[in-house]
mmCIF file with all atom_site columns, all heavy atoms in Angstrom:
data_model
loop_
_atom_site.group_PDB
_atom_site.id
_atom_site.type_symbol
_atom_site.label_atom_id
_atom_site.label_alt_id
_atom_site.label_comp_id
_atom_site.label_asym_id
_atom_site.label_entity_id
_atom_site.label_seq_id
_atom_site.pdbx_PDB_ins_code
_atom_site.Cartn_x
_atom_site.Cartn_y
_atom_site.Cartn_z
_atom_site.occupancy
_atom_site.B_iso_or_equiv
_atom_site.pdbx_formal_charge
_atom_site.auth_seq_id
_atom_site.auth_comp_id
_atom_site.auth_asym_id
_atom_site.auth_atom_id
_atom_site.pdbx_PDB_model_num
ATOM 1  N N   . VAL A 1 27  ? -19.202 -24.685 -11.316 1.00 87.00 ? 27  VAL A N   1
ATOM 2  C CA  . VAL A 1 27  ? -19.270 -25.321 -12.629 1.00 87.00 ? 27  VAL A CA  1
ATOM 3  C C   . VAL A 1 27  ? -18.146 -26.343 -12.718 1.00 87.00 ? 27  VAL A C   1
ATOM 4  O O   . VAL A 1 27  ? -17.219 -26.351 -11.909 1.00 87.00 ? 27  VAL A O   1
ATOM 5  C CB  . VAL A 1 27  ? -19.134 -24.301 -13.782 1.00 87.00 ? 27  VAL A CB  1
ATOM 6  C CG1 . VAL A 1 27  ? -20.286 -23.308 -13.770 1.00 87.00 ? 27  VAL A CG1 1
ATOM 7  C CG2 . VAL A 1 27  ? -17.796 -23.564 -13.707 1.00 87.00 ? 27  VAL A CG2 1
ATOM 8  N N   . ALA A 1 65  ? -6.901  -7.833  -16.045 1.00 88.00 ? 65  ALA A N   1
ATOM 9  C CA  . ALA A 1 65  ? -7.369  -8.119  -14.691 1.00 88.00 ? 65  ALA A CA  1
ATOM 10 C C   . ALA A 1 65  ? -7.795  -6.829  -14.000 1.00 88.00 ? 65  ALA A C   1
ATOM 11 O O   . ALA A 1 65  ? -8.822  -6.782  -13.307 1.00 88.00 ? 65  ALA A O   1
ATOM 12 C CB  . ALA A 1 65  ? -6.281  -8.828  -13.892 1.00 88.00 ? 65  ALA A CB  1
ATOM 13 N N   . SER A 1 91  ? -31.169 3.991   0.862   1.00 76.00 ? 91  SER A N   1
ATOM 14 C CA  . SER A 1 91  ? -29.925 4.722   0.607   1.00 76.00 ? 91  SER A CA  1
ATOM 15 C C   . SER A 1 91  ? -28.927 4.477   1.741   1.00 76.00 ? 91  SER A C   1
ATOM 16 O O   . SER A 1 91  ? -28.414 5.418   2.344   1.00 76.00 ? 91  SER A O   1
ATOM 17 C CB  . SER A 1 91  ? -30.219 6.211   0.463   1.00 76.00 ? 91  SER A CB  1
ATOM 18 O OG  . SER A 1 91  ? -30.903 6.700   1.616   1.00 76.00 ? 91  SER A OG  1
ATOM 19 N N   . ALA A 1 100 ? -10.233 -3.594  15.178  1.00 90.00 ? 100 ALA A N   1
ATOM 20 C CA  . ALA A 1 100 ? -9.647  -2.688  16.171  1.00 90.00 ? 100 ALA A CA  1
ATOM 21 C C   . ALA A 1 100 ? -10.325 -1.330  16.172  1.00 90.00 ? 100 ALA A C   1
ATOM 22 O O   . ALA A 1 100 ? -10.451 -0.686  17.220  1.00 90.00 ? 100 ALA A O   1
ATOM 23 C CB  . ALA A 1 100 ? -8.150  -2.522  15.911  1.00 90.00 ? 100 ALA A CB  1
ATOM 24 N N   . THR A 1 119 ? -29.408 15.792  7.087   1.00 80.00 ? 119 THR A N   1
ATOM 25 C CA  . THR A 1 119 ? -30.363 14.694  7.241   1.00 80.00 ? 119 THR A CA  1
ATOM 26 C C   . THR A 1 119 ? -29.596 13.427  7.610   1.00 80.00 ? 119 THR A C   1
ATOM 27 O O   . THR A 1 119 ? -28.419 13.284  7.273   1.00 80.00 ? 119 THR A O   1
ATOM 28 C CB  . THR A 1 119 ? -31.147 14.441  5.941   1.00 80.00 ? 119 THR A CB  1
ATOM 29 O OG1 . THR A 1 119 ? -30.220 14.150  4.879   1.00 80.00 ? 119 THR A OG1 1
ATOM 30 C CG2 . THR A 1 119 ? -31.987 15.653  5.572   1.00 80.00 ? 119 THR A CG2 1
ATOM 31 N N   . ILE A 1 165 ? -8.423  9.099   2.403   1.00 97.00 ? 165 ILE A N   1
ATOM 32 C CA  . ILE A 1 165 ? -8.101  10.276  3.200   1.00 97.00 ? 165 ILE A CA  1
ATOM 33 C C   . ILE A 1 165 ? -7.677  9.811   4.586   1.00 97.00 ? 165 ILE A C   1
ATOM 34 O O   . ILE A 1 165 ? -8.111  8.758   5.066   1.00 97.00 ? 165 ILE A O   1
ATOM 35 C CB  . ILE A 1 165 ? -9.285  11.256  3.313   1.00 97.00 ? 165 ILE A CB  1
ATOM 36 C CG1 . ILE A 1 165 ? -10.541 10.535  3.837   1.00 97.00 ? 165 ILE A CG1 1
ATOM 37 C CG2 . ILE A 1 165 ? -9.543  11.956  1.997   1.00 97.00 ? 165 ILE A CG2 1
ATOM 38 C CD1 . ILE A 1 165 ? -11.712 11.467  4.118   1.00 97.00 ? 165 ILE A CD1 1
ATOM 39 N N   . GLY A 1 168 ? -6.842  10.307  11.086  1.00 95.00 ? 168 GLY A N   1
ATOM 40 C CA  . GLY A 1 168 ? -6.171  10.385  12.380  1.00 95.00 ? 168 GLY A CA  1
ATOM 41 C C   . GLY A 1 168 ? -4.996  9.437   12.439  1.00 95.00 ? 168 GLY A C   1
ATOM 42 O O   . GLY A 1 168 ? -4.612  8.831   11.431  1.00 95.00 ? 168 GLY A O   1
ATOM 43 N N   . ALA A 1 220 ? 15.323  -6.072  13.028  1.00 60.00 ? 220 ALA A N   1
ATOM 44 C CA  . ALA A 1 220 ? 15.492  -7.424  13.557  1.00 60.00 ? 220 ALA A CA  1
ATOM 45 C C   . ALA A 1 220 ? 15.291  -7.466  15.065  1.00 60.00 ? 220 ALA A C   1
ATOM 46 O O   . ALA A 1 220 ? 15.922  -6.738  15.821  1.00 60.00 ? 220 ALA A O   1
ATOM 47 C CB  . ALA A 1 220 ? 16.877  -7.944  13.213  1.00 60.00 ? 220 ALA A CB  1
ATOM 48 N N   . PRO A 1 227 ? 4.935   -17.484 17.852  1.00 93.00 ? 227 PRO A N   1
ATOM 49 C CA  . PRO A 1 227 ? 3.476   -17.337 17.963  1.00 93.00 ? 227 PRO A CA  1
ATOM 50 C C   . PRO A 1 227 ? 2.863   -18.484 18.775  1.00 93.00 ? 227 PRO A C   1
ATOM 51 O O   . PRO A 1 227 ? 3.128   -19.659 18.501  1.00 93.00 ? 227 PRO A O   1
ATOM 52 C CB  . PRO A 1 227 ? 3.007   -17.378 16.512  1.00 93.00 ? 227 PRO A CB  1
ATOM 53 C CG  . PRO A 1 227 ? 4.208   -16.980 15.703  1.00 93.00 ? 227 PRO A CG  1
ATOM 54 C CD  . PRO A 1 227 ? 5.380   -17.538 16.445  1.00 93.00 ? 227 PRO A CD  1
ATOM 55 N N   . VAL A 1 235 ? -9.374  -9.774  21.552  1.00 94.00 ? 235 VAL A N   1
ATOM 56 C CA  . VAL A 1 235 ? -9.025  -11.050 22.184  1.00 94.00 ? 235 VAL A CA  1
ATOM 57 C C   . VAL A 1 235 ? -7.556  -11.056 22.589  1.00 94.00 ? 235 VAL A C   1
ATOM 58 O O   . VAL A 1 235 ? -7.197  -11.519 23.678  1.00 94.00 ? 235 VAL A O   1
ATOM 59 C CB  . VAL A 1 235 ? -9.338  -12.225 21.240  1.00 94.00 ? 235 VAL A CB  1
ATOM 60 C CG1 . VAL A 1 235 ? -8.894  -13.550 21.866  1.00 94.00 ? 235 VAL A CG1 1
ATOM 61 C CG2 . VAL A 1 235 ? -10.825 -12.272 20.913  1.00 94.00 ? 235 VAL A CG2 1
ATOM 62 N N   . LEU A 1 249 ? -0.404  -3.911  20.230  1.00 97.00 ? 249 LEU A N   1
ATOM 63 C CA  . LEU A 1 249 ? -1.794  -3.485  20.294  1.00 97.00 ? 249 LEU A CA  1
ATOM 64 C C   . LEU A 1 249 ? -1.899  -1.973  20.103  1.00 97.00 ? 249 LEU A C   1
ATOM 65 O O   . LEU A 1 249 ? -0.971  -1.230  20.462  1.00 97.00 ? 249 LEU A O   1
ATOM 66 C CB  . LEU A 1 249 ? -2.407  -3.875  21.638  1.00 97.00 ? 249 LEU A CB  1
ATOM 67 C CG  . LEU A 1 249 ? -2.519  -5.382  21.891  1.00 97.00 ? 249 LEU A CG  1
ATOM 68 C CD1 . LEU A 1 249 ? -2.862  -5.659  23.352  1.00 97.00 ? 249 LEU A CD1 1
ATOM 69 C CD2 . LEU A 1 249 ? -3.561  -6.008  20.977  1.00 97.00 ? 249 LEU A CD2 1
#
Side-chain angles (χ1 to χ4, degrees):
V27 297
S91 56
T119 58
I165 54 174
V235 177
L249 295 168

